[in-house]
Amino acid sequence: MIELESIPSSTLCNVCTGIFTGTWRPQLSGWKRELKTPGAPPDPFHPEPAFGTAYDHGMEPYINRNAAPPTLSYPHHSVEELRSSGDSCALCKTVVMAFDALHPRDNGRVDYMEGRKPYGVAAWSAEEIAKAKGTLERVNKFLDETKDFAEILPKSLVRELPTRLLHLTKDSPEPVARLIDGANTSLDVDTPYIALSHSWGNTMPIQLIASRLSEFTNGIEFKDLPATFRQSAELALELGVKYLWIDSLCIIQDSASDWLHEAQRMASVYAFSHLTIAASASKNPRTGLSPSPRPRTVIVRPSWKGFIQEWGLQPGQTLRITNPWYEEFKNTIVSAPLNRRGWTYQEYALAPRVLHCTDGEWWWNGITDGISRETSTKQIMWYSGPGSITWPDKVSFFNKERRKLTSTPDIWVWDYLTSQYNQRALTKRKDKLVAFGAVAQLFGQVNNLPVDKPNEYIAGAWRSYLPFGLHWSIGENAERHFSTPGSEDAEYVIPSWSWASIDGLVRYHDGKSLKETREEQVKGMPRLVDAKVVTEGGPFGPVKSGYIILHGPIFRIRVAKKPKDHKQNAFYRSFKVLRSDGSEAWEHSGQAFSLDSWKGKLEEWADDREMYFMIADCEGESKYGSGFAILLELAKDVASEKGVYRRIGSTLFYFDGIEKLMDAVREKGSEALRDGEYIDADPKTGFYTYKVI
């Protein structure tokens, strides 16, 4: 509750001081009531009201009108004015905090990244508490109703128990968790177990190391477990399950071989779990499953004329503002600390049933669009869709029939899975592909890809889909990662053509996958000649080296640097296609090149720099249309080989087709590339064979 009367007037701005002297009048002119899509962007000529969101209240600005009846209840004209005033005014700051809790400026993820916390009332009402009764019974009913999920898993994914499990017993005087060997016990393979998805934080207070193996086998008393682990064990027993899997207690953390072996088995661990408990709000094992009651509402007690006029409330009455369910799920769970971590992506995406333990409330869902919550008996539908770049659509992931209904090609599902995962943070760079390996394995099995065939899965791409999967560009604030020489991950590499070489959002341009035949799909794309990666511990382990060999049109170009807008990760350039003798064959002006590593690199990009222009896709050989090109540079550290490149960026462009461009380049007997810049050439087409590492 916000007691406005208790705020000293000396801490208020002039506008807020006028509220209490009765001089304030609503100043929100230019707005009218009309149906408007919630969340629609505000009109830049009519700033958004400060308290609440006008669009959420069915408002939109009058066009070419000077006034409209006042509709919302705070005097500042715009959100930004309110934020500025909040630096010195206590009341404005209070409203800013309430506003951000209900209507984040950007999205929930940014809220957490910038450290903004919601403000409101921690305690539940009596009505909410009454609705929450019987939660365990409802969760058990949900588990019973969805127990047939395993039937839709691919037969190639063999059901097996995790290598190690914690056996939970209610021994007197304290409950005990004993580490057992899941593979060498008399347990039936269908024995239910619960898996925990949690964030490690900066430290791990207890973990399994080789020297403590016998100690853990003898048993750990619940009281010696950190809060998140202890509460998960207690909850498992309350749900009637005696076995629990926690990564830090079931994988030998100081054994590289055990860690790598277990990392390759995560698809089975999570896909066959009876339930996954997601400690969504917990930042580390010590904070517990629900660290503090999260306010889901903002309570405002009106004490000035504005509220009385606008809301029909009397002083002392309460105005309660709540988020829609959809927004609450997004802000409470999708944006939770747990779901910003890389390893936890597969823990949600592959788990058949998940119980989300958040601040103050539990939510649960399975392989459907329906989501249940503790404070309501009604389900909500939260369908992210196969095209979401923030949250996995598990229905489309597991159900190929669902994709047919939405006309979603398999490669699109893969594109969006990688885009979602790639935005998450990892402590160790070498884990980048390992932490996604279980998703890759199960995706391959669901879609009948030859997962066990050598070099089918290559550093985040599928050979069967190539050249699809190469057509990506970096998104906002993304950048290529470069290992520091001498660092612990220096021996591991991710090829430059892989999305995993980027930290952050990648966007794909695989629209041609909608065409009916493979022959039609790959027209205008280079041909895959060979692909190979060297991994440690299996196809989904960390990568030591890798390359792809392609055959298609590639050109040497000279670019002119014209920096225009760094926020779009792009340099606007004109570029010239060169012949092998250095003469200019074709020029394109006003082109936006998206560089994979542009931050802080502007000064390093000399004007008139030469690079290579690999046409990865175009609409036709001899007609005007769009094309997608990958920018390359010669790998100078591989001087012993010819035609070896690294990817440095990408671009969308328009031209008159490959035939005309090749004719222009080969004029006067010249070619596109010089000796040493290619592996082999086709004298008829002028296309080249080249390697990208």
Side-chain angles (χ1 to χ4, degrees), residues 31 329 511:
W31 291 81
F329 183 77

Side-chain angles (χ1 to χ4, degrees), residues 325-334 363 371 382 391:
W325 273 39
Y326 180 95
E327 292 298 322
E328 283 193 78
F329 183 77
K330 182 179 73 173
N331 293 334
T332 305
I333 295 173
V334 177
W363 306 63
I371 299 170
W382 200 83
W391 194 246

Side-chain angles (χ1 to χ4, degrees), residues 36-254:
K36 189 73 174 179
T37 303
D43 187 312
F45 299 104
H46 299 82
E48 183 178 347
F51 187 73
T53 303
Y55 289 104
D56 290 342
H57 289 274
M59 306 300 298
E60 72 170 13
Y62 272 120
I63 304 299
N64 300 321
R65 289 286 296 274
N66 295 323
T71 54
L72 298 178
S73 305
Y74 205 73
H76 288 276
H77 287 285
S78 70
V79 174
E80 290 311 311
E81 288 177 358
L82 179 66
R83 293 189 193 285
S84 177
S85 180
D87 293 338
S88 57
C89 174
L91 178 52
C92 288
K93 184 62 175 179
T94 300
V95 178
V96 166
M97 296 169 71
F99 179 79
D100 283 347
L102 292 173
H103 308 284
R105 276 184 284 177
D106 185 358
N107 56 47
R109 293 194 311 277
V110 175
D111 283 347
Y112 273 102
M113 291 168 64
E114 294 185 359
R116 293 201 299 277
K117 301 299 180 184
Y119 184 90
V121 176
W124 285 10
S125 67
E127 179 185 3
E128 288 175 318
I129 293 173
K131 287 182 179 179
K133 287 182 179 179
T135 295
L136 287 179
E137 289 80 0
R138 292 174 61 200
V139 172
N140 266 319
K141 182 181 179 183
F142 158 73
L143 293 173
D144 185 62
E145 291 174 347
T146 56
K147 62 185 178 183
D148 296 331
F149 165 74
E151 295 180 2
I152 72 170
L153 288 174
K155 302 303 180 185
S156 55
L157 185 65
V158 179
R159 187 179 187 109
E160 54 186 350
L161 290 175
T163 302
R164 302 179 190 89
L165 282 167
L166 294 169
H167 182 207
L168 311 175
T169 58
K170 296 180 179 179
D171 291 355
S172 180
E174 288 286 341
V176 173
R178 290 185 175 86
L179 190 67
I180 64 169
D181 187 339
N184 297 315
T185 65
S186 58
L187 291 180
D188 186 274
V189 71
D190 293 323
T191 299
Y193 63 89
I194 285 176
L196 175 65
S197 176
H198 69 102
S199 177
W200 280 46
N202 295 326
T203 60
M204 176 55 65
I206 183 171
Q207 57 184 302
L208 176 61
I209 56 177
S211 62
R212 302 189 72 179
L213 190 58
S214 59
E215 175 190 344
F216 283 22
T217 302
N218 291 331
I220 313 167
E221 290 188 356
F222 278 23
K223 66 180 181 180
D224 295 328
L225 294 171
T228 304
F229 295 177
R230 181 180 67 254
Q231 292 170 14
S232 298
E234 293 168 348
L235 178 56
L237 289 174
E238 286 189 272
L239 291 170
V241 178
K242 297 186 292 185
Y243 297 93
L244 178 65
W245 187 89
I246 302 176
D247 55 359
S248 53
L249 301 184
C250 296
I251 300 174
I252 304 175
Q253 299 299 319
D254 60 349

Side-chain angles (χ1 to χ4, degrees), residues 107 119 191 199 219 245 250-251 274 276 278 282 293 362 380 387 431 508 584 630 661:
N107 56 47
Y119 184 90
T191 299
S199 177
W245 187 89
C250 296
I251 300 174
H274 181 66
T276 291
S282 179
W362 290 354
I380 63 165
D431 295 350
Y508 285 88
E584 298 172 2
I630 295 174
L661 185 54

